[in-house]
Amino acid sequence: MMMFLLICTLAVASRAEIAEEEDVLVLKKSNFDEALKAHPNILVEFYAPWCGHCKALAPEYAKAAGMLKAEGSDIRLAKVDATEETELAQEYGVRGYPTIKFFKGGEKESPKEYSAGRQADDIVSWLKKRTGPAVATLAGVTEAESLIADNEVAVIGFFKDAESAGAKAYEKAAEAIDDIPFAMTSDDAVYSKFEVSKDSVVLFKKFDEGRNTFDGELTKEKLLAFVKANQLPLVIEFTEQTAPKIFGGDIKSHILMFLPKAASDFQDKMDQFKKAAEGFKGRILFIFIDSDVDDNQRILEFFGLKKEECPAIRLITLEDEMTKYKPDSDSITAESITEFCTLFTEGKLKPHLMSQDIPEDWDKNPVRVLVGKNFEEVAFDPTKNVFVEFYAPWCGHCKQLAPIWEKLGEKYKDSADTIVAKMDSTANEIEAVKVHSFPTLKFFPAGEERKVIDYNGERTLEGFTKFLESGGKEGGAPAGDDDDDLDAEVR
């Protein structure tokens, strides 16, 4: 008995080592396995103390943890300082912050990546969907009204026979969507309350028209398309909270309106934008960006825009390669936006590639300055070996590299066949190279083949010199074959 009590005491003491901050468990490598055993369903945020996104998430994450704890849920939220617990971060493939993973049933081998929004309600809804039944059963009007009142978006299936083919297709669709609650009812009073006369599926939402009724053949695929087309507002504002929904959704074509909220004609332009959005629901996501917000300036820069150039419209595709499009007209009317989007959907638009003007002294210094307008003729000159740094002016890694790159330029300034160059990729774009992080270093060897070789070696003068002297072999790899660079600043 004494031995048993000792073991129990030790077990309690061990569990007590898992500290909490605002209802969020603080995990380390030393207590990680213990936490998974103690809590069968646990959401873990891998964060960095200096990360702005992590700081913005913190209050909502703590709020979600408190909501679940108050309900008596067995689901817990936890966090790991990935800059301190580097082994854990490496084990779970953490390459950016925050990275959020869900460990279900104490299983640590293959956690599910968290994919919903970053507000407390989004987090709680996603977790409940992951741990409970895909479809809740509504017994009466009060339960239905509570579901609708408590959620930004909720879907209710009205089925008299829960075993029907339509009801089964509905359940399959529900299982495929993590961040929206699905429910089902056969209650006559619920049918009557929501003016439903036959079996159907209704999406309720706290924006735009308030509800959408599915019309068509009840299949999993068509139901998914219906929900995904209607779950977001016609126009969604880009914020820290909405970003995951914008980038994590299935719609990869986005049209953006950059406009200051303080503008006198703000509402008029918003109405025009919203009117145009109605015709492209489910195909193009319409996004509004307040161009006066400091946190949005990087986005303006990415599109080559300045505050004073707003309002402005741009379109981007987020497929394997990001492609931007710019309308010919600066007009912001429902008609002009509709015409622009129609040309895009018909494949009749050419990508918009930004370029600065060619500086008069672009070739006067050891490191040549490239822009979109002179890149092709310099980089693909068949008589020259050209080594290019694609950088961003704000990038800390680029600033660290700058003095070394200048020394490399100095070393080869009198070379007859080697050029060291740089290009500001926040202001210049080219078809031959898609830059996703900074700095990106690429080598364009002499010849007619138009080869592009990525540099993956040490960022030292010696490393660069070996690379150039070996013709791009020492420290090089064919373009596209390199892994993501943990030290790169992602665009």
Side-chain angles (χ1 to χ4, degrees), residues 297-299 301-302 391-399 424-427 436-439 488-491:
Q297 297 314 302
R298 188 71 62 79
I299 305 170
E301 182 184 278
F302 177 67
Y391 73 97
W394 45 259
C395 165
H397 300 299
C398 303
K399 291 173 183 175
D424 178 355
S425 286
T426 67
H436 301 296
S437 61
F438 304 111
E489 291 197 32
V490 178
R491 187 163 189 161

Side-chain angles (χ1 to χ4, degrees), residues 448-463:
E448 302 288 350
E449 299 88 351
R450 294 175 64 88
K451 280 185 183 177
V452 183
I453 297 173
D454 286 343
Y455 179 76
N456 292 325
E458 294 181 358
R459 291 177 185 169
T460 61
L461 183 61
E462 295 75 18

Side-chain angles (χ1 to χ4, degrees), residues 4 39 106 120 153 216 251 267 279 292 299 302 324 371 373 388 393 405 434 437 463 471 477:
F4 174 71
H39 306 288
V153 178
I251 303 172
Q267 195 54 54
D292 275 349
I299 305 170
F302 177 67
K324 304 171 194 172
V371 296
K373 293 177 179 177
V388 183
W405 203 251
K434 301 296 181 183
S437 61

Side-chain angles (χ1 to χ4, degrees), residues 92-151:
Y92 291 106
V94 176
R95 301 192 71 82
Y97 307 111
T99 291
I100 308 172
K101 294 179 182 283
F102 180 52
F103 296 80
K104 187 174 181 180
E107 172 62 51
K108 65 175 289 188
E109 300 306 324
S110 52
K112 172 75 176 176
E113 199 83 25
Y114 176 75
S115 57
R118 291 185 181 175
Q119 291 178 303
D121 289 341
D122 296 324
I123 296 168
V124 171
S125 177
W126 189 89
L127 287 168
K128 286 183 175 178
K129 193 74 183 291
R130 275 275 148 201
T131 54
V135 179
T137 301
L138 301 175
V141 172
T142 302
E143 287 188 13
E145 288 179 329
S146 295
L147 178 75
I148 295 166
D150 293 345
N151 294 279

Side-chain angles (χ1 to χ4, degrees), residues 103-341:
F103 296 80
K104 187 174 181 180
E107 172 62 51
K108 65 175 289 188
E109 300 306 324
S110 52
K112 172 75 176 176
E113 199 83 25
Y114 176 75
S115 57
R118 291 185 181 175
Q119 291 178 303
D121 289 341
D122 296 324
I123 296 168
V124 171
S125 177
W126 189 89
L127 287 168
K128 286 183 175 178
K129 193 74 183 291
R130 275 275 148 201
T131 54
V135 179
T137 301
L138 301 175
V141 172
T142 302
E143 287 188 13
E145 288 179 329
S146 295
L147 178 75
I148 295 166
D150 293 345
N151 294 279
E152 187 80 2
V153 178
V155 184
I156 298 178
F158 295 81
F159 295 100
K160 291 298 184 184
D161 179 7
E163 299 301 315
S164 67
K168 292 298 181 186
Y170 177 72
E171 287 182 2
K172 291 290 185 187
E175 289 167 1
I177 296 179
D178 292 329
D179 54 343
I180 298 175
F182 280 65
M184 190 186 297
T185 186
S186 59
D187 188 273
D188 288 339
V190 183
Y191 272 70
S192 176
K193 172 66 180 177
F194 295 103
E195 300 178 344
V196 175
S197 57
K198 61 180 182 178
D199 285 5
S200 63
V201 174
V202 181
L203 182 145
F204 296 89
K205 56 192 182 183
K206 294 179 179 175
F207 49 83
D208 295 342
E209 61 270 55
R211 64 184 275 178
N212 304 99
T213 301
F214 178 79
D215 182 22
E217 183 187 358
L218 285 165
T219 65
K220 173 187 172 182
E221 290 72 22
K222 290 183 178 178
L223 283 167
L224 286 175
F226 162 74
V227 173
K228 287 172 181 176
N230 293 289
Q231 68 177 332
L232 292 175
L234 276 172
V235 174
I236 183 168
E237 181 176 357
F238 178 86
T239 64
E240 185 83 36
Q241 287 72 37
T242 61
K245 292 181 180 179
I246 291 170
F247 294 120
D250 289 344
I251 303 172
K252 299 302 182 186
S253 298
H254 299 173
I255 185 168
L256 304 98
M257 178 171 67
F258 297 89
L259 174 68
K261 268 188 180 176
S264 58
D265 59 348
F266 171 79
Q267 195 54 54
D268 176 60
K269 283 189 166 52
M270 185 61 78
D271 291 343
Q272 295 292 316
F273 197 54
K274 196 170 185 177
K275 185 178 178 183
E278 293 171 4
F280 299 92
K281 187 189 284 189
R283 293 186 291 163
I284 300 175
L285 204 58
F286 278 61
I287 300 164
F288 154 67
I289 296 178
D290 187 346
S291 53
D292 275 349
V293 172
D294 288 342
D295 286 349
N296 291 338
Q297 297 314 302
R298 188 71 62 79
I299 305 170
L300 268 74
E301 182 184 278
F302 177 67
F303 284 91
L305 286 168
K306 295 186 175 76
K307 268 189 186 183
E308 52 270 24
E309 294 176 295
C310 297
I313 296 286
R314 294 291 186 272
L315 195 150
I316 186 169
T317 58
L318 302 178
E319 301 297 345
D320 292 338
E321 297 293 352
M322 291 186 288
T323 307
K324 304 171 194 172
Y325 300 89
K326 176 185 176 182
D328 291 333
S329 167
D330 292 332
S331 170
I332 298 181
T333 64
E335 293 74 22
S336 64
I337 295 167
T338 298
E339 181 183 3
F340 178 53
C341 290

Side-chain angles (χ1 to χ4, degrees), residues 13-20 25-27 31 34-36 38-39:
S14 175
R15 289 188 183 184
E17 289 176 11
I18 302 176
E20 288 189 29
L25 300 171
V26 180
L27 302 188
N31 65 13
E34 174 69 31
L36 293 186
H39 306 288

Side-chain angles (χ1 to χ4, degrees), residues 354-358 371-377 428 430:
M354 298 185 298
S355 177
Q356 295 172 306
D357 290 329
I358 302 173
V371 296
K373 293 177 179 177
N374 70 349
F375 183 88
E376 184 78 14
E377 62 180 293
N428 300 279
I430 50 172

